[in-house]
Amino acid sequence: MKKALIIEDSDDIRESTAEILDLAGYVTFTAKNGRIGVDLAIKHTPDIILCDIMMPELDGYGVLYLLQKNPQTASIPFIFMTAKAERSDMRKGMEMGADDYLTKPFDDVELFNAIESRLKKRHKPVGFKALAGDKETLFAELKAKGKTRSFGQKQIIYVEHDHPSYLYYVVKGQVKTYKRAKDGRELSSTLFHAGDFFGYESLCNGTSYTDNAATLADVELLLIAKADFMDYLQNHQEVSGAFMSMLSNNAQHKDEQLLRLAYFSVRKRVAEALVDVAHKFGDKQSDECTLRISRDDLAALVGTASETVSRMLADFKDEKLIEKNGNAIHIVSIEKLKNIKQ
């Protein structure tokens, strides 16, 4: 059963509104002032809150402010009730984050329409009022729409100029995206591991892929259809906000790569690449890390020839910064690699 909280200092309006909602099957809680209302909202977490504006002790604006500051109550739909219908009051309430506005006196139909409209839109909130848990639920729902596909090592996932059809999510394994120069050399842009989404830049921009994607090891992916991704992107602020943050981080990462190519020596770039891979795939709590990455893939990250990378790795081994065992590179100290000078 849906729960409704009514915060109203007028006994007649408070009791009559509660009676109407009781008859409609709601469990109602009532408060005669804002302070009691805030306490009841935290205690019972109602599905909808109806609140008067002009009240003693704590007015409706104060109630809304306090409830939005509390993660437990921030996403509850909030409807103001007031006898004052001036536009300035309505504008102030909406700017603060109220979901709707009822001018007293209102009839039963107006009341039910306002409540039902807000409850239907509860999972499509305006602004960033939703709980962090709601975002996780939305992402779980989105991933549940995907289909699982397995890829072997060094297998192509998509190529430049392909038209995107899926959002990809890494269940296990490692993936790289890269550009290929005219002479055939690769320049890697980003590495992805379990828990990462990729391929969303082109979906968000409505363009073909501007890079290639391939596996570094055996990989299990979720392929989420473009239509499902766009539906969640357009209708859920939490999802769109999260992907906006990812896009921003990607742009910053690529800017840093360009700066390294322009100003860092090859020695420094190889060290930075090893540190980046260690942070991406290793144990973030340890200063040591064992990496399994080919010289070609490492060279693509650095933006140089694999022979040059091999020489730098030999130097780092002589300096006791790394140990090599076949294709495995054991970093003795990530911190020392990070502090390598030009």
Side-chain angles (χ1 to χ4, degrees), residues 5-9 14 29-38 41 49-53 55 63 67 78 81:
L5 170 61
I6 304 159
I7 309 172
E8 167 64 65
D9 64 330
R14 185 176 67 251
F29 306 94
T30 61
K32 63 182 179 181
N33 64 55
R35 293 191 182 278
I36 296 174
V38 170
I49 296 173
L50 298 115
C51 183
D52 188 22
I53 289 183
M55 294 184 294
V63 172
L67 294 182
F78 193 100
M81 305 184 298

Side-chain angles (χ1 to χ4, degrees), residues 33-224:
N33 64 55
R35 293 191 182 278
I36 296 174
V38 170
D39 291 338
L40 288 176
I42 295 171
K43 181 179 179 181
H44 297 289
T45 317
D47 297 285
I48 191 82
I49 296 173
L50 298 115
C51 183
D52 188 22
I53 289 183
M54 304 304 293
M55 294 184 294
E57 295 193 45
L58 182 67
D59 66 14
Y61 298 129
V63 172
L64 178 58
Y65 176 81
L66 291 176
L67 294 182
Q68 287 188 332
K69 289 294 184 183
N70 189 329
Q72 182 182 340
T73 56
S75 65
I76 299 173
F78 193 100
I79 299 175
F80 271 131
M81 305 184 298
T82 183
K84 296 181 67 176
E86 286 86 352
R87 288 184 178 273
S88 60
D89 291 328
M90 296 177 67
R91 184 164 55 250
K92 180 178 179 181
M94 295 306 179
E95 287 175 352
M96 288 185 65
D99 295 284
D100 210 340
Y101 208 99
L102 279 171
T103 302
K104 297 181 286 189
F106 47 81
D107 59 32
D108 299 0
V109 174
E110 289 177 304
L111 175 64
F112 288 130
N113 284 344
I115 292 175
E116 290 174 6
S117 174
R118 290 305 111 191
L119 290 178
K120 286 179 182 178
K121 295 181 179 180
R122 184 172 187 179
H123 297 297
K124 299 180 182 180
V126 177
F128 289 91
K129 299 199 301 178
L131 297 172
D134 290 339
K135 183 176 74 173
E136 296 305 317
T137 300
L138 287 170
F139 272 99
E141 291 173 358
L142 179 60
K143 287 185 284 187
K145 293 178 178 292
K147 53 187 179 184
T148 304
R149 292 289 183 271
S150 296
F151 294 79
Q153 186 176 10
K154 295 188 179 298
Q155 190 171 344
I156 300 295
I157 300 169
Y158 62 74
V159 298
E160 189 175 359
H161 304 308
D162 274 358
H163 188 72
S165 299
Y166 298 104
L167 169 69
Y168 297 93
Y169 177 81
V170 184
V171 178
K172 64 179 181 180
Q174 301 166 2
V175 172
K176 67 175 180 180
T177 55
Y178 61 95
K179 300 277 287 184
R180 191 179 293 279
K182 290 182 179 179
D183 60 6
R185 288 185 299 113
E186 288 184 7
L187 177 62
S188 292
S189 55
T190 312
L191 300 176
F192 301 95
H193 65 353
D196 288 338
F197 288 98
F198 69 97
Y200 48 83
E201 294 95 334
S202 296
L203 287 171
C204 292
N205 292 331
T207 60
S208 299
Y209 290 119
T210 58
D211 56 11
N212 309 275
T215 62
L216 289 171
D218 290 343
V219 167
E220 184 177 313
L221 300 177
L222 280 179
L223 278 61
I224 301 166

Side-chain angles (χ1 to χ4, degrees), residues 235-303:
N235 292 311
H236 298 285
Q237 189 76 40
E238 303 87 348
V239 174
S240 60
F243 278 97
M244 283 173 63
S245 178
M246 293 181 207
L247 287 167
S248 176
N249 290 337
N250 286 351
Q252 182 178 353
H253 175 69
K254 289 175 182 177
D255 285 344
E256 290 172 356
Q257 282 186 315
L258 290 173
L259 288 173
R260 290 177 187 176
L261 285 170
Y263 296 109
F264 285 7
S265 66
V266 175
R267 173 181 168 84
K268 178 68 172 175
R269 280 157 40 204
V270 173
E272 289 281 336
L274 289 171
V275 170
D276 285 349
V277 177
H279 284 164
K280 191 72 175 179
F281 300 137
D283 181 359
K284 292 179 174 60
Q285 305 301 317
S286 176
D287 192 42
E288 296 186 34
C289 181
T290 299
L291 308 176
R292 298 189 180 277
I293 184 170
S294 72
R295 303 299 184 268
D296 288 340
D297 287 329
L298 192 56
L301 284 170
V302 176

